[in-house]
Amino acid sequence: MGSISSTRMETFLVVAGQSSVRRAAAQLHITEAAVSAAITYIEKQLGADLIAKSGRGIELTDAGHVYAEYCRTILGLMDEAKTAVQKAEKGRLRVGVVATAGESVVLALLASFRERYPDVDLSLSIHPRDELFLELRHHETDLVIAGRPPRGAGLVVRARRPSSLVVIGSPAHPMNPMTATWLLRGPGSGTRDTTLSLLDQLQISPPTLTLGAHGAVVAGAREGLGVTLTHNDAVERDLAGGLLEVLKVRGTPLDRPWHAITTKTPTPTAQLFVEHIVDEANVGRAAFVEG
């Protein structure tokens, strides 16, 4: 069996993501024949069909789905290895956060970290919780700040920061949370799942309106579209300015701390970032607690 290059793996993943050889070729700026040849070569080496026709496009076979997971991990590890051998202060740090943490918790930490370690190649991505954990498991992100990771995911919580989920609404548009419209985030959001669980516990079925991003949900609450469940530290200014208020709802507030999460083998720069965010002398009230 011949070796399968990282370039061919990357080509396969683009095909898988686009569900089309034509679109993959356009994204990669190569010919469709070159894309097809790469897939054919991989299938021949593996002795398995990875893709199948589906309407006008293609879809992954069961074997294709399995191989795609391995490709993501292999390529992620290869990329990670380049930075793992560098000095932490000059390495690369890819931080992934959920939207709420990105807007209310992480930016100040990143700013102080960059000031302290200006030679670190720093990047930030904002995605739903489930996508972030998947990226972390595939070594496509170095550290994630979000809610608690799922059990059995092989991920490690390095530090925590207290936070609570509260129900908020506009004082200018008083509403009864038992009958008001509840504003929801998009699928994949941990806060959305928690909100739906809370409604089940309250045994109510109020109208709901999905607005997607955290910022849109909070803005909707300010405008009187409905009420929503969110982290208290994400709306501190709105609460202090009287634009929003915390509503009394049975079962709330909910204790939902933020977690700084890595794989079992974090990069030196990820470890350096964890050391930074638990250093209260440098980050003040935004500090996490180790462990």
Side-chain angles (χ1 to χ4, degrees):
M1 179 184 294
S3 62
I4 299 173
S5 68
S6 60
T7 300
R8 287 192 174 103
M9 290 185 190
E10 291 168 352
T11 299
F12 170 69
L13 288 179
V14 174
V15 171
Q18 293 290 342
S19 298
S20 166
V21 170
R22 179 179 57 81
R23 289 194 294 270
Q27 180 175 326
L28 294 168
H29 303 291
I30 58 178
T31 65
E32 293 182 36
V35 172
S36 297
I39 301 301
T40 299
Y41 179 87
I42 295 173
E43 290 181 324
K44 182 178 180 180
Q45 294 302 313
L46 298 178
D49 294 329
L50 302 180
I51 62 175
K53 290 185 177 180
S54 176
R56 295 183 178 179
I58 60 172
E59 63 181 6
L60 295 184
T61 62
D62 290 342
H65 283 291
V66 172
Y67 188 64
E69 291 296 300
Y70 275 99
C71 283
R72 289 184 65 176
T73 300
I74 291 168
L75 292 172
L77 282 169
M78 290 175 65
D79 194 31
E80 184 177 283
K82 298 175 185 177
T83 58
V85 297
Q86 297 175 348
K87 291 183 178 180
E89 295 84 355
K90 296 182 180 294
R92 179 194 63 190
L93 180 63
R94 301 167 299 179
V95 179
V97 299
V98 293
T100 310
E103 295 178 17
S104 61
V105 176
V106 178
L107 294 181
L109 296 173
L110 291 178
S112 58
F113 182 76
R114 168 161 281 177
E115 182 177 356
R116 192 175 180 184
Y117 302 107
D119 293 328
V120 169
D121 181 9
L122 186 63
S123 64
L124 175 69
S125 60
I126 300 177
H127 296 298
R129 174 198 60 175
D130 294 346
E131 186 175 341
L132 289 173
F133 291 147
L134 186 60
E135 289 181 352
L136 189 56
R137 288 168 54 195
H138 287 305
H139 301 267
E140 296 167 343
T141 296
D142 301 311
L143 181 142
V144 163
I145 294 182
R148 183 182 297 276
R151 293 180 180 178
L155 304 176
V156 180
V157 174
R158 303 292 176 181
R160 297 175 176 83
R161 182 177 185 272
S163 184
S164 297
L165 286 171
V166 294
V167 180
I168 58 168
S170 168
H173 305 86
M175 297 182 186
N176 180 353
M178 298 298 103
T179 56
T181 297
W182 283 68
L183 308 177
L184 303 176
R185 301 202 176 87
S189 162
T191 304
R192 176 191 176 96
D193 294 342
T194 302
T195 301
L196 296 177
S197 295
L198 175 63
L199 298 182
D200 286 341
Q201 293 172 14
L202 295 172
Q203 297 183 329
I204 59 174
S205 299
T208 60
L209 177 61
T210 297
L211 295 180
H214 161 74
V217 170
V218 172
R222 282 198 301 263
E223 296 300 324
L225 276 178
V227 302
T228 194
L229 185 73
T230 193
H231 282 269
N232 60 337
D233 48 14
V235 289
E236 285 182 343
R237 292 183 180 178
D238 285 333
L239 293 173
L243 298 177
L244 290 170
E245 63 179 351
V246 175
L247 305 177
K248 293 183 178 180
V249 175
R250 178 167 52 86
T252 65
L254 296 166
D255 182 29
R256 291 294 187 275
W258 295 114
H259 300 80
I261 307 154
T262 70
T263 62
K264 293 180 180 179
T265 55
T267 65
T269 309
Q271 291 177 302
L272 186 68
F273 183 73
V274 172
E275 293 170 5
H276 175 73
I277 67 175
V278 299
D279 186 351
E280 189 173 358
N282 277 289
V283 300
R285 62 189 297 266
F288 279 58
V289 178
E290 189 173 1

